Structures are given as structure tokens and as C-alpha cells.
Amino acid sequence: MEHIFIPGKNPALPPLVLLHGTGGDERSLLQIAELIAPDAAVLAFRGDVPEQGANRFFARYADGSFDLESLAEKTEQLMVQTAKLATEYDLVLENAIAVGYSNGANIAANAILTREDGFRKAILFHAMPSGAAMPDFSLAGATVFLTAGVNDPLISAEGSQQLIDLLVERDAVVTDVWTQQGHQMTLPEVEAARDWYGALL
């Protein structure tokens, strides 16, 4: 996958791994990263699965359901490439925080839930679980900030709650923020994510 890396002004801060939504690219969440942690290093990816000209991180079917084979393959690719680039850019992968929106948040959530080498810290804007059977390894020590829209037409409140439940059942610490908005990211969500990030330090 194409990516960009921006060195942090403070290398001691947890780096951010940015994962855009459908139709975005590696620059789509840079402004969000600047609001959340302006002095942290940033590694931002561009999804390499095209959907009618739009960039995605994994494929989906016409009805919107996930292509689980594509999701598994691309989740592995993401974690392998993240680990390789973390070494190249001298980042501590265990400290990295995945920041994903929509499609990007979904692949980040899948990495947390299905891979023992997956992210253990994440900011997920409007995410849902894949619906696939999940492994049962413990997520103790994982901490996740998650936002959801009660009126989101793409990701139901039920879907968001299912993701929260999956994480909590396996002992992850989850902070959730619900809005009355739809699928778009709102400033209060980003400000809450900034506060969550700050509380980790």
C-alpha cells in the first residue's frame, strides 16, 4: 500500500497509524491527526482495493456485507506492512495507535479482534464487526476509543454496540462516545478522541 510518514516533533509520544474511509487516501485523516496529537509521528496508508474508483482497505459485496476472505488477507497485509515500516522509521509498534474512520476503522477493529500481533490501541470512528466467528485470545491490556452515530445510515447502532461488546467480553478497555449524527465524523468526536489520547500519556 502507498503510505506517507511524518516524523513526530516529540518521538516519545505514541505514533498514529491512519486508516481512511472509503474513497479517501493517505492524506484524508492528516487534519484529524493534527487535532488529536499534533506532536506525534504519523504513518498513513492508502487502501489498495478499488471500488468503482474509490480506495478501500478490503472488498465488500454489493449489499454492503464484508468479503471476509479479502478482509482476512488485507488485515494480514496491513499488519505485516505496519511492522516493517515501524522498523524502518524507528517506531515502537506496541505503542502505535490505529486511527480509523469507517472502512479504515473496520480493518483496524478486525486486526484487534483476530490477530495476536494486531493493534492494541485504537481510535475507531464509526466501526462495526465483520460478523465472522472470532478467536478467543484475551485482549487484556488493549484500550480502544470508539465513536458511533445513533442515526448512522451505514453502520447501525446495533452494529456499533456489537463491536463494543466483542471487545469488552475479551477484557479490552473501551471508551465509547455516541452522537445523534449520521456517518460523518464530528468535531466533538475528534475532541473526545484528543482527550482520550492525552489521558494515555
Side-chain angles (χ1 to χ4, degrees), residues 19-77:
L19 305 166
H20 61 78
T22 298
D25 61 25
E26 64 273 30
R27 297 188 175 276
S28 296
L29 297 182
L30 292 181
Q31 187 175 10
I32 301 300
E34 181 71 18
L35 290 170
I36 292 172
D39 294 332
V42 169
L43 176 62
F45 287 103
R46 182 198 305 172
D48 61 356
V49 176
E51 181 183 85
Q52 297 180 344
N55 300 317
R56 282 179 57 85
F57 285 100
F58 61 91
R60 61 181 171 181
Y61 297 114
D63 65 357
S65 61
F66 296 173
D67 179 333
L68 297 180
E69 183 176 343
S70 174
L71 176 58
E73 175 188 340
K74 289 301 182 177
T75 299
E76 179 176 8
Q77 177 190 354

Side-chain angles (χ1 to χ4, degrees), residues 10 36 54 102 136 160 163-164 169 183:
N10 182 350
I36 292 172
S102 192
D136 61 359
S160 296
L163 177 56
I164 293 168
E169 286 166 5
H183 194 63

Side-chain angles (χ1 to χ4, degrees), residues 15-19 43 45 75 78-79 82-83 93-99 104-105 107-124 137 139 141-144 167:
L16 304 181
V17 178
L18 306 185
L19 305 166
L43 176 62
F45 287 103
T75 299
L78 173 64
M79 294 316 306
T82 300
L93 182 58
E94 292 75 16
N95 293 339
I97 298 175
V99 180
I107 197 170
N110 195 63
I112 295 168
L113 289 166
T114 64
R115 298 184 61 90
E116 295 194 67
D117 65 347
F119 300 111
R120 287 299 172 264
K121 299 182 181 71
I123 295 171
L124 306 178
F137 60 82
L139 292 175
T143 180
V144 177
L167 292 164

